[in-house]
């Protein structure tokens, strides 16, 4: 069996009660675990965008996306190819920072271009945004100092812009339109 | 105009053209029942909410118009869950209105509270909790639109009591009727892609062994006439699935009848051996395909469906066409005409005829002393003794398969059954709904003894409301279909399938419910009893046919095996004897 890989779905939905439950239950029904999920209203507040990252084979995913389309409140679905998408995520974490290690932690925050947003007696709370892999790396490094609490937002994504000869950006998002 | 929410709801149903609704009141829906007294809508009071749901389905099946059911919160709502799932599986347009506890009490485990929106999310095409009285006309209008367009299906609308209760200020609303629908995420495709339709016509013109695989979508799209024109134009034979019986006349020389697990040999084998399957509103259900990997191995596939999620779900089509069957078939006919003559398929047609002659459906009704009454014989007698356009409604089990096999369906919308969900207890209430929708037609429910016991109480409804349906119970004293599997696949270990032929006494039970009750035990009593039943038009009739409990449904393709292994009868071994 081929290794499952990340798929990023960008789902435009009506901004209504219960829509998230409808969307997520289509994954749950098949036992697909949602790896990360981010929801917020778009610039048009009648609509929200749900960014879903799932690890599944392409074929069953195609069936799920077709069924997502059938939800009355789903307006549009696009699949983003991770290779041609800009993915970003944000994390805040509280880490142990006793006098002996505080300097090292601050140095790493600096290297990762994070920000210290709260300072306690022997702990720091740090904010870091960026590609998910960068957050993973930072999390690994902080583990040595003792992570007290950590929260990640789940990723949001947009297609990378291609430049045509005329310099006009062309969307790399693959709209999953109707078949036929 | 100022109305309260309850009045607005009933008025919205009137605006949708609803003539009849099925239901049963209770606390949370009480305020909506009050304005029914002043409404021209006929309300049929059921004895169990499951009955209301199946009646709405039967009504929708028979008339093509959406069926409507209304029930209270909590247990009323959960009782109608099965019909919702049934309508979802068979794409039946129904609108179900459930009462809900007052808005402020939702989520508090209030008396008769149930999160029916959560419960029915995956078994409705759409559901919605109305949160303001002002939204009632819009949501009801959308509900009917969603239920009846695209791939039809059930829609549930949940209404908290406070927004319909005239004593509550939350129920005040200014009446309006929406003149349009604003559903940005719902735009079903009707017209097929012209290039794909041209491709389909080309495949047809190249094909030597084509078969039209007609499904329930033909009936939903009201495309039976178009289908007939396509078949006659191309000379291609047609199989009609369990959901499509009647979509193409059984009497037509091109009709091959029902394929699938209990289909006839020719229908099954024609698909297996075909080089092109033209799937029209069918969905490659496992009961049709048998083992998917071994299904129709040499066939190219043209798949037409209004639901894009069906294309490629089971078998990847060579030519996928999203669209309404009626519109696509009409376009396809045009393309086929343009391409000109069809190839010579005399050899294939001769093969089909040869199979039909060699492997007809069969059973033996003995007439000697002690020969048991055969269920298939009862069905044939019913068929021959009833009007040509009789509507037949069945339960689920052996009697369902025999009904589909042995009736001759020559008109669309004369066969109503629970195909996808396989809901025992469907027949009696669905027959009542069909009769309400088509009062001028004879409606026969052909039911099993097991099924009958699940929803028979609705015959009280039928008597009280003067809905003269007729019920033939093929009483084999068993959960026969399960017994058949135990006999064939579980070494005749009959676990929990015996019901008894005379407990209950069906004749007395029928009479207690205000029906005429009859009992038939011998073959020569069958025709006279049917004649008598068909002459009764002022009340329901129930005939208890005491049939041979050893009879099994053949042909059969065992679950999960290839459709190339059709078991024709007990003589072929495989556990039968
Ligand atoms: C609600 C429900 N429960 C269980 C089943 C499983 N089942 C399928 S057919 C059948 C037997 C039906 O018995 P009966 O109505 O007597 O019909 P017969 O097969 O004897 O003709 C059963 C139990 C079902 N389809 N539906
Ligand atoms: Mg039985």
């Amino acid at each position: 069996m081929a290794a499952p890989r990340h798929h990023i779905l960008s789902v435009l939905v009506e901004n209504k009660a219960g829509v998230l439950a409808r969307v997520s239950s289509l994954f749950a029904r098949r036992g697909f675990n949602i790896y990360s999920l981010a929801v917020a209203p778009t610039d048009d507040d009648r609509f929200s965008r749900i960014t879903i990252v799932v690890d599944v084979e392409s074929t069953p995913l195609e069936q799920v996306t077709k069924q997502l389309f059938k939800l009355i409140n789903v307006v549009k679905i696009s699949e983003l190819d991770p290779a041609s998408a800009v993915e970003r995520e944000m994390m805040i974490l509280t880490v142990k920072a006793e006098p002996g290690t505080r300097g090292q932690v601050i140095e790493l925050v600096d290297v990762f271009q994070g920000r210290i947003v709260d300072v306690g007696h022997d702990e720091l709370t740090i904010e870091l945004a960026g590609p998910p892999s960068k957050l993973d790396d930072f999390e690994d490094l902080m583990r040595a100092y003792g992570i007290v609490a950590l929260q990640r937002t789940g990723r949001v994504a947009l297609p990378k812009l291609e430049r045509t000869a005329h310099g006009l950006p062309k969307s790399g998002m693959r709209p999953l339109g109707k078949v036929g | 105009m100022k109305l309260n929410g309850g009045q607005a709801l009933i008025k919205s149903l009137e605006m949708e053209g609803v003539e009849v609704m099925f239901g049963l009141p209770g606390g949370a829906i009480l305020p909506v029942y009050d304005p029914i007294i002043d409404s021209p809508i006929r309300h049929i009071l059921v004895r169990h909410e499951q009955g209301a749901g199946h009646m709405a389905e039967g009504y929708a099946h028979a008339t093509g118009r959406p069926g409507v059911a209304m029930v209270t919160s909590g247990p009323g709502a959960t009782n109608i869950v099965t019909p919702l799932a049934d309508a979802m599986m068979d794409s039946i347009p129904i609108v179900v209105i459930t009462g809900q506890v007052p808005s402020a009490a939702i989520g508090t485990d209030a008396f008769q509270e149930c999160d029916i929106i959560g419960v029915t999310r995956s078994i409705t095409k759409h559901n919605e909790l109305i949160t303001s009285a002002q939204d009632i006309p819009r949501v009801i209008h959308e509900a009917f639109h969603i239920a009846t367009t695209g791939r039809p299906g059930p829609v549930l609308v949940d209404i908290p009591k406070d927004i319909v209760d005239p004593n509550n200020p939350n129920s005040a609303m200014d009446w309006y009727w929406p003149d349009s629908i604003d559903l940005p995420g719902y735009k079903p495709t009707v017209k097929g892609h012209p290039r794909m339709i041209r491709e389909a016509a080309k495949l047809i013109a190249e094909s030597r062994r084509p078969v039209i695989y007609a499904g329930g979508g033909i009936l939903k799209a009201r495309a039976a006439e178009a289908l007939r024109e396509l078949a006659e134009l191309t000379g291609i034979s047609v199989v009609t699935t369990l959901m499509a019986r009647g979509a193409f006349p059984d009497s037509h020389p091109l009709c091959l009848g029902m394929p699938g697990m209990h289909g006839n040999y020719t229908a099954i084998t024609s698909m297996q051996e075909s080089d092109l399957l033209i799937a029209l509103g069918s969905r490659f259900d496992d009961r049709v395909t048998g083992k998917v990997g071994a299904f129709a191995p040499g066939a190219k596939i043209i798949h037409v469906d209004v639901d894009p999620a069906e294309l490629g779900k089971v078998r990847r089509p060579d030519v996928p066409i999203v669209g309404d069957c009626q519109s696509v078939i009409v376009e396809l006919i045009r393309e086929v005409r343009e391409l000109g003559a069809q190839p010579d398929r005399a050899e294939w047609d001769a093969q089909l005829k040869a199979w039909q002659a060699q492997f007809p459906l069969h059973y033996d009704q003995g007439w000697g002393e002690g020969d048991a009454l055969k269920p298939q014989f009862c069905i044939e007698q019913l068929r021959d003794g009833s009007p040509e356009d009789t509507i037949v409604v069945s339960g689920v089990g052996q009697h369902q398969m025999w009904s589909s096999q042995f009736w001759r369906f020559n008109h669309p919308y004369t066969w109503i059954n629970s195909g996808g969900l396989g809901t025992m207890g469907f027949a009696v209430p669905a027959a009542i709904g069909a009769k309400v929708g088509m009062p001028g037609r004879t409606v026969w429910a052909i039911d099993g003894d097991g099924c009958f016991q699940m929803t028979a109480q609705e015959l009280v409804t039928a008597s009280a409301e003067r809905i003269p349906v007729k019920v033939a119970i093929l009483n084999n004293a068993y959960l026969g279909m399960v017994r058949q599997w135990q006999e064939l696949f579980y070494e005749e270990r009959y676990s929990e399938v015996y019901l008894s032929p005379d407990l209950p006494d069906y004749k007395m039970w029928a009479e207690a419910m205000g029906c005429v009750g009859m009992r038939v035990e011998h073959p020569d009593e069958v025709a006279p009893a049917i004649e008598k039943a068909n002459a009764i038009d002022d009340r329901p009739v129930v005939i208890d046919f005491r049939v041979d409990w050893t009879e099994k449904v053949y042909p059969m393709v065992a679950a999960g095996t290839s459709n190339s292994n059709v078991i024709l009868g007990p003589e072929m071994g495989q556990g039968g004897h």
Side-chain angles (χ1 to χ4, degrees), chain B residues 157 201 208 260 274-275 285-286 324 327 410 483 494 536 559:
Chain B
V157 178
R208 292 304 174 127
S274 73
D275 66 356
D285 181 76
D286 55 81
D324 174 83
S327 149
N410 290 326
R483 201 211 70 243
Y494 297 121
I536 296 169

Side-chain angles (χ1 to χ4, degrees), chain B residues 398-399 447-451 474-481 499:
Chain B
Q398 293 180 309
H399 62 281
D447 214 0
D449 46 330
C451 289
L474 299 183
N475 177 3
N476 55 7
Y478 273 97
L479 297 170
M481 185 57 95
L499 296 175

Side-chain angles (χ1 to χ4, degrees), chain B residues 277-414:
Chain B
L277 280 180
I278 306 160
L280 304 174
S282 46
R283 59 183 179 86
F284 294 79
D285 181 76
D286 55 81
R287 285 299 186 263
V288 168
T289 61
K291 187 179 174 189
V292 174
F295 174 66
K300 291 199 165 157
I301 310 284
I302 296 167
H303 195 173
V304 180
D305 206 293
V306 74
D307 178 358
E310 287 302 337
L311 305 183
K313 184 180 81 176
V314 176
R315 172 89 173 246
R316 206 155 272 281
D318 298 273
V319 179
I321 302 175
V322 181
D324 174 83
C325 274
Q326 166 69 25
S327 149
V328 172
I329 294 173
V330 167
E331 292 302 315
L332 185 56
I333 288 170
R334 193 198 314 274
E335 289 293 338
V336 167
R337 280 226 168 83
E338 228 157 75
L339 281 186
Q342 293 286 310
D344 175 19
R345 301 190 184 109
E347 205 179 312
W348 176 238
D349 294 337
Q351 174 67 80
L352 296 175
K353 292 277 170 270
W355 283 330
Q356 282 178 320
Q358 196 183 349
F359 305 109
L361 292 170
H362 71 277
Y363 69 94
D364 289 315
Q365 178 62 67
W367 290 81
E369 192 75 33
D371 273 332
L373 177 60
K374 296 291 179 181
Q376 301 96 322
F377 176 76
C378 298
I379 292 167
E380 288 195 328
Q381 292 293 301
L382 263 177
R383 176 193 72 195
D384 298 341
S386 302
E388 156 90 3
D389 62 354
T390 295
I391 296 174
V392 184
V393 187
S394 90
V396 171
Q398 293 180 309
H399 62 281
Q400 174 190 29
M401 292 298 115
W402 287 318
S403 301
S404 177
Q405 290 176 335
F406 287 93
W407 200 274
R408 287 283 152 271
F409 296 99
N410 290 326
H411 305 280
Y413 316 108
T414 54

